[in-house]
Amino acid sequence: MEAISPYGSIRNTWYVAGLSAEFPKEKLTGHVVASRPFVIWRTKDGNVVAYDDRCSHKRFPLSKGKLMPDGTLECAYHGLRYDSSGRCVAIPSHPSGPIPPMAKVRPAPVVEQDGLVWLWPGDPARSTDRKPPRLPEVGDDAWESIVVGPMEVPSNYLLLIENLLDITHFYPLHDGNIGDIANSRIPVELEEGVTDGNKFCGTVRKVESYEQPPYLVDWFHYKIVDRIHTHFMLSPAVTRVQMRNAPPGQMGNAEKERGYVLVHTHTPIDARKHVWRVIISCPAHHMSYGDPTMTAAQRVASMFPKVAAEDRWALEEQQRMVEYPDEGYQEVFLKPDIAIRRARKIFLDLLREEQSPAPTSQAAAE
Ligand code: FES
Ligand SMILES: [Fe+2]
């Protein structure tokens, strides 16, 4: 089989187009997801709809058009009007003529859940094979959630996923803030499986009676903890990081546990750029230790822009190197890179599946 690069962009999967709050009623927004342009908006009735951003007439972006009082979308160039399913219903230059059957744009499947709008940029017929991963903490009032981003990153999104599955880069990349070499030396356990049609993989790091680095004492109070730290790619769209800390012997005691859930959304614009959001969630009533006037979520979020800028720099530099042909280059995988290997395999399998679709029953019979 011909070698393919894992640094492509997968289309047959659900991606985060934005937070629900980014889609007020009747505001047209243009997006590019996996190299396909989409216009997305919330109708008067409150449903989010999406279709091809290119007008079927002369490719003018429909996101630059306007919504009419009857809910149709009017293209700003020659005025073709489309209903919310993408069917052309009026052509100003042909007021009485029939509407050509090709005058339509392709709708894209959309799901709204957990405070996020999800879009399927691939084959709509495949969109029932997988569901967007559930993210219960996002949008739950018992949790305070703070969003960092959206940030446009000039790299393939798999490089971000690999970064998120890997804490061994905290030193030296994040030296001076979350840099912590001791973290990197905790043994990892791999977990993988399939949920709602999405293959996932990740690592679990468990320690007992562990001395926390100063920034974690600042966020979560305890100096010595039992700790469970997990990093999971839930699908090509999201990576979830969770840290649970409790005084020794108290893990599982909801009154004592402190920590965070970080949901990273990574939506490819194309194979070389993506949009990154970080949703930081902590129990809403938890205050930080470092600044008792700030909640834990606010305190974590205050450190994030600097950390994200350091990661962004690394991703941009790696992307430059990914662009060169391998020509004998051999990548080294270290023990803690185990989840990165699995994520690459998931990407390669999904990309191969798209490049060589399963044979139709007729072709199979021949
Ligand atoms: S390009 Fe849209 S109406 Fe002509
Ligand atoms: Fe990082």
Side-chain angles (χ1 to χ4, degrees), residues 167-168 171 180-188 205 207 210 336:
I167 65 168
T168 66
Y171 178 86
D180 173 15
I181 192 73
N183 247 347
S184 304
R185 296 179 177 148
I186 299 169
V188 297
R205 287 175 169 85
V207 281
Y210 183 80

Side-chain angles (χ1 to χ4, degrees), residues 149-338:
M151 299 166 270
E152 189 174 316
V153 181
S155 87
N156 183 274
Y157 65 137
L158 178 55
L159 288 172
L160 173 64
I161 296 167
E162 294 180 5
N163 169 293
L164 298 171
L165 291 176
D166 158 35
I167 65 168
T168 66
H169 76 269
F170 284 17
Y171 178 86
L173 189 67
H174 300 304
D175 195 20
N177 46 65
I178 61 167
D180 173 15
I181 192 73
N183 247 347
S184 304
R185 296 179 177 148
I186 299 169
V188 297
E189 292 163 42
L190 177 79
E191 284 185 16
E192 56 193 330
V194 182
T195 302
D196 290 336
N198 302 297
K199 284 187 188 165
F200 68 84
C201 63
T203 52
V204 180
R205 287 175 169 85
K206 286 186 194 160
V207 281
E208 289 183 351
S209 299
Y210 183 80
E211 188 176 341
Q212 292 278 59
Y215 73 96
L216 291 178
V217 178
D218 181 308
W219 296 351
F220 303 128
H221 294 241
Y222 308 130
K223 291 193 170 65
I224 305 289
V225 292
D226 287 355
R227 194 174 88 188
I228 303 175
H229 199 190
T230 61
H231 297 75
F232 278 87
M233 178 183 86
L234 301 182
S235 80
V238 274
T239 301
R240 182 180 187 273
V241 180
Q242 183 171 25
M243 182 180 274
R244 297 171 58 192
N245 305 284
Q250 298 287 327
M251 187 61 76
N253 178 345
E255 296 293 306
K256 298 284 183 193
E257 268 196 40
R258 290 176 172 268
Y260 62 54
V261 172
L262 309 177
V263 169
H264 296 264
T265 74
H266 21 78
T267 305
I269 297 169
D270 57 30
R272 295 188 168 91
K273 296 193 286 299
H274 67 272
V275 177
W276 178 21
R277 287 180 179 78
V278 192
I279 308 171
I280 299 158
S281 303
C282 294
H285 60 285
H286 283 184
M287 304 306 288
S288 70
Y289 179 76
D291 180 346
T293 68
M294 289 172 90
T295 60
Q298 287 166 347
R299 194 75 177 160
V300 178
S302 69
M303 260 172 103
F304 240 86
K306 184 160 190 300
V307 174
E310 289 161 354
D311 285 321
R312 191 181 187 284
W313 172 71
L315 300 175
E316 188 172 355
E317 292 296 327
Q318 276 182 298
Q319 179 66 34
R320 270 192 329 109
M321 294 299 151
V322 163
E323 305 274 335
Y324 293 104
D326 280 0
E327 296 178 322
Y329 168 78
Q330 288 274 346
E331 187 174 350
V332 172
F333 286 93
L334 303 174
K335 255 193 186 163
D337 296 336
I338 186 161

Side-chain angles (χ1 to χ4, degrees), residues 121-153:
D123 176 1
R126 301 285 313 277
S127 66
T128 50
D129 295 359
R130 298 171 186 133
K131 290 186 185 152
R134 296 311 307 237
L135 303 167
E137 295 86 8
V138 180
D140 177 342
D141 288 344
W143 293 74
E144 180 184 14
S145 292
I146 298 177
V147 183
V148 178
M151 299 166 270
E152 189 174 316
V153 181

